[in-house]
Structures are given as C-alpha cells and as structure tokens.
C-alpha cells in the first residue's frame, strides 16, 4: 500500500492539452476529488475550443468496489460530453450503443492518450482500440510524448 496519492488535472492552454493524473491506493473520496479536478480543468477551455488529453492512470488502485465503480465511467462519460468515444467502450456493446456524444459549450476532444500499469490490458486496448488519434501506453513518458506530438 502506497501513501502517495495523486488526484489532479492540469490545463495547458498554450498547447491545448489536458493532463489528468490519478495514482496511488485510493478511496472513493479521492476518486471524486480527481473527477472534480478534471471537470474544473475542462471548464477552463474556451467555448468552441479543442483539446487533447493525457489520461494518466499509472499506479492507480481502487481500494474498494465503491471507489472502482465510481471511477470506471468517469473518463468515457466525461469525454463523450466533448464528442469523444473512448476506444475501449466498444468492449461493452450495450453501453457503447447507449453512449451519447455531445459537444458541451461546442468544445471537442481531438486526441487521447491513456496510460495504465496493467500490461495485459493495455496491450489488448492498443491492439484492438488504438487509432490515429488515440493510443494506450504502460509508460507515462511515452504516452505524454505521443500526445504532445499530435497536432
């Protein structure tokens, strides 16, 4: 069990990049704090703007089912509000068919990098769900370098 907890999101307006990071052994309250930071950063994007996102989950562990249940839908549902369908949503056909994409304040997500330490899961996601504008990584530095390279 790690004492280091990270639950934060930064918006870089000059580069149009959101970096959201959650890591450590976390309870539901920590997940809620991270979710709030994500929404606060998205609220800082100008109306009609675009953004790229680096979702860094490397080192994250939900300490209980309640934390996991709350966590698992945050990224897909939040990005759907900005016109983005996360690739791995396709694994859940019924949910994928119900997912409604919109453009909150006419803002659009144009690229996404996801990072997590589970090599088996990430290799599967990368092989099945990656695209020109969405990739899955186990190395946070490679993920950040890739998303920063996307115009």
């Amino acid at each position: 069990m790690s004492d280091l907890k990270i639950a934060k999101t930064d918006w870089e307006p000059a580069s149009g990049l959101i970096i959201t990071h959650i890591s450590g052994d976390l309870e539901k309250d920590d997940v809620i704090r991270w979710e709030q930071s994500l929404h606060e950063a998205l609220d800082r994007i100008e109306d009609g703007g675009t953004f790229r996102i680096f979702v860094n989950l490397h080192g994250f562990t939900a300490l209980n089912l309640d934390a996991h249940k709350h966590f698992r839908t945050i990224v897909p549902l939040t990005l759907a509000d900005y016109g983005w369908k996360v690739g791995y949503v396709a694994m859940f056909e019924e949910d994928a068919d119900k997912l409604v994409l919109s453009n909150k304040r006419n803002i659009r997500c144009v690229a996404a990098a996801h990072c997590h330490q589970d090599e088996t899961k990430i290799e599967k996601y990368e092989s099945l769900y990656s695209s020109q504008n969405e990739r899955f990584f186990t190395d946070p530095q490679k993920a950040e370098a890739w998303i920063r390279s996307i115009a």
Side-chain angles (χ1 to χ4, degrees):
M1 193 163 165
S2 171
D3 289 338
L4 179 62
K5 293 182 178 186
I6 299 170
K8 67 176 190 155
T9 305
D10 295 309
W11 163 237
E12 297 178 1
S15 61
L17 181 63
I18 293 261
I19 298 176
T20 190
H21 189 183
I22 186 169
S23 186
D25 300 325
L26 306 178
E27 303 276 355
K28 183 177 179 182
D29 287 347
D30 300 310
V31 173
I32 290 169
R33 187 172 39 122
W34 169 68
E35 179 182 24
Q36 289 170 338
S37 78
L38 176 59
H39 290 288
E40 288 167 6
L42 288 162
D43 287 345
R44 293 174 58 203
I45 300 172
E46 65 190 34
D47 290 359
T50 61
F51 69 94
R52 297 164 296 138
I53 189 166
F54 172 26
V55 181
N56 187 354
L57 313 176
H58 199 276
F60 169 70
T61 302
L63 285 177
N64 53 51
L65 187 57
D66 200 29
H68 177 74
K69 282 175 131 177
H70 188 81
F71 164 80
R72 70 179 175 193
T73 60
I74 293 170
V75 171
L77 293 180
T78 299
L79 291 183
D81 287 342
Y82 299 93
W84 190 266
K85 190 173 196 175
V86 176
Y88 60 74
V89 170
M91 287 189 305
F92 311 100
E93 193 172 326
E94 188 174 311
D95 293 333
D97 291 343
K98 292 179 190 171
L99 188 65
V100 176
L101 300 182
S102 62
N103 289 102
K104 187 176 183 178
R105 296 182 18 245
N106 204 28
I107 297 170
R108 289 181 311 109
C109 178
V110 296
H114 308 269
C115 186
H116 191 274
Q117 69 274 8
D118 185 332
E119 284 187 44
T120 303
K121 180 190 298 187
I122 292 303
E123 285 175 9
K124 176 182 178 181
Y125 291 2
E126 179 66 12
S127 69
L128 295 175
Y129 309 117
S130 67
S131 68
Q132 181 178 344
N133 291 335
E134 184 172 37
R135 299 271 317 272
F136 301 88
F137 298 86
T138 56
D139 181 325
Q141 281 115 359
K142 288 180 181 175
E144 185 171 345
W146 179 80
I147 196 68
R148 286 187 183 282
S149 76
I150 298 296

